Amino acid sequence: MFDAPKLTLGLLACSLAAPVLADEINIYSYRQPELIKPLTDAFTAETGVDVNVAYLQKGMIERLQAEGARSPADLIFTVDISRLNDAVEAGLTQPVTSETLIANVPAAYHDPDGHWWGMTTRARIVYASKERVKDGEVTTYDDLADPKWKGRICTRSGTHAYNVALTSAVMHHLGTEGATAWLTGLKANLARKPQGNDRAQVKAIWAGECDIAIGNTYYMGKMLADDEQKAWADSVNVVFPTFAGGGTHVNISGVAMVKTAPNADNALKMMEFLSSPEAQEIYAHANFEYPIAPGTKADPLVEGWGSFEADAVNLMDLAKLRKDAIKLVETVDFDG
Ligand code: FE
């Protein structure tokens, strides 16, 4: 009872000091403005909810940790299951679910507990020289470790998130022993030490330094859209390798809700909007990725690279193998 007047005053002071809650959400994004802006504009047009986006190059987790409960962030946007899972493991996210999300996002592409939701996919594929690699010469991930490719393969660092996820997928399918043999075989086939980004490997094929390379699908679209890089893209075929008894390795771009999201209701609305077929196609087409909602289609250019069956593994199972995969990359001294 003694506290009652103080409490009333406190609440009053609070309501006077606090700004009127705006209809807005705040996003921290590792993805570029040209991919995100069309989506946030469409969301605002449909719902009247304003969207503020902080585009970050790095340090998202550290920033969220430093801001703690005062963080304005509602959602985080990033690529790669490992980055999403890092945020989950740091305790920075909260589980969400809804009928809409479940209907639009296939089970393999969301956390069973609802902490992260995939919104687009990209396959990790083989780029093969049109001149020096015949159709059907490379069809599986296993093929990459075959000695017939000795001195003919290029790839970026084994410790890059894209390759760590691929190695995790190999571990999932072949076990640690099988994956060790695979990674050792792949290393023995490299034309040069791992270096550069995915596009640099295709450039190396164009320049005659290697015959096949590992890369993500969307870079084909990006290279074709670039005056200088178009020749690199034109020198290769896209091959969708598979695992024995499985499909092609894919990864996601995805979304997670921040644990302390001040605008959780509107943030969930944004997630549902992003998962809608309409938004999925805007999002996927902007970066030559694959939309994941049932009934959606990739850009015609992307469809032209061919159809493939995505590996059915839940990406969470790959995230769990990540530390072992990094250890394996170090053990075989892949980059050395
Ligand atoms: Fe990329």
Side-chain angles (χ1 to χ4, degrees):
M1 280 304 282
F2 280 119
D3 285 342
K6 206 160 78 191
L7 184 66
T8 310
L9 269 181
L11 283 175
L12 187 64
C14 237
S15 61
L16 285 176
V20 177
L21 272 185
D23 236 3
E24 63 171 17
I25 58 170
N26 301 304
I27 296 170
Y28 286 2
S29 175
Y30 274 147
R31 307 215 77 190
Q32 300 120 346
E34 62 266 30
L35 302 182
I36 303 305
K37 185 92 172 50
L39 294 166
T40 55
D41 286 351
F43 178 71
T44 302
E46 194 173 299
T47 63
V49 176
D50 286 329
V51 184
N52 309 306
V53 189
Y55 294 100
L56 309 177
Q57 300 291 330
K58 56 182 178 183
M60 190 189 290
I61 284 183
E62 293 74 10
R63 178 160 167 179
L64 288 167
Q65 282 170 331
E67 291 170 344
R70 288 175 292 110
S71 178
D74 295 298
L75 296 174
I76 57 175
F77 284 22
T78 186
V79 298
D80 205 277
I81 175 59
S82 65
R83 292 190 189 125
L84 288 162
N85 197 50
D86 281 349
V88 177
E89 288 190 345
L92 295 167
T93 59
Q94 62 173 302
V96 296
T97 192
S98 74
E99 273 174 34
T100 304
L101 287 173
I102 294 282
N104 288 337
V105 183
Y109 305 136
H110 69 79
D111 175 16
D113 293 331
H115 278 273
W116 51 264
W117 293 82
M119 291 295 152
T120 60
T121 65
R122 59 275 296 286
R124 193 132 184 89
I125 53 145
V126 163
Y127 288 110
S129 164
K130 279 181 184 168
E131 274 179 17
R132 301 183 296 278
V133 179
K134 289 196 233 32
D135 275 357
E137 253 194 293
V138 51
T139 60
T140 68
Y141 292 104
D142 282 355
D143 284 340
L144 299 174
D146 187 314
K148 78 172 176 184
W149 296 110
K150 193 163 179 53
R152 300 172 66 189
I153 302 181
C154 282
T155 182
R156 74 192 310 162
S157 166
T159 63
H160 187 276
Y162 300 162
N163 276 345
V164 171
L166 175 59
T167 300
S168 302
V170 175
M171 290 182 98
H172 172 82
H173 283 280
L174 304 181
T176 304
E177 220 170 285
T180 307
W182 180 80
L183 203 58
T184 306
L186 174 58
K187 184 188 174 185
N189 286 340
L190 295 180
R192 58 181 192 179
K193 280 189 185 189
Q195 59 194 269
N197 56 22
D198 279 359
R199 277 183 265 197
Q201 316 313 317
V202 181
K203 183 184 184 186
I205 293 177
W206 168 78
E209 285 180 68
C210 34
D211 297 340
I212 59 178
I214 302 168
N216 285 353
T217 37
Y218 54 90
Y219 287 118
M220 189 67 176
K222 287 176 171 270
M223 289 185 291
L224 287 169
D226 181 288
D227 285 346
E228 188 202 348
Q229 298 172 6
K230 188 175 177 302
W232 311 348
D234 285 338
S235 75
V236 297
N237 286 315
V238 166
V239 177
F240 294 94
T242 54
F243 289 109
T248 298
H249 170 62
V250 300
N251 211 317
I252 53 171
S253 80
V255 182
M257 192 183 292
V258 177
K259 193 178 182 178
T260 53
N263 310 290
D265 290 350
N266 280 333
L268 179 59
K269 252 187 231 168
M270 178 74 187
M271 291 174 80
E272 291 178 339
F273 172 78
L274 285 172
S275 78
S276 70
E278 167 207 2
Q280 287 262 305
E281 290 192 353
I282 298 173
Y283 198 7
H285 292 198
N287 196 39
F288 309 103
E289 292 178 274
Y290 298 94
I292 59 182
T296 50
K297 274 190 149 64
D299 184 273
L301 173 74
V302 176
E303 297 242 304
W305 302 334
S307 60
F308 66 98
E309 197 172 322
D311 204 32
V313 62
N314 184 292
L315 293 180
M316 199 64 196
D317 291 334
L318 299 190
K320 286 177 190 154
L321 287 166
R322 179 168 171 245
K323 287 194 181 84
D324 290 338
I326 291 171
K327 207 189 291 172
L328 183 56
V329 169
E330 286 164 0
T331 303
V332 308
D333 191 22
F334 188 77
D335 287 357

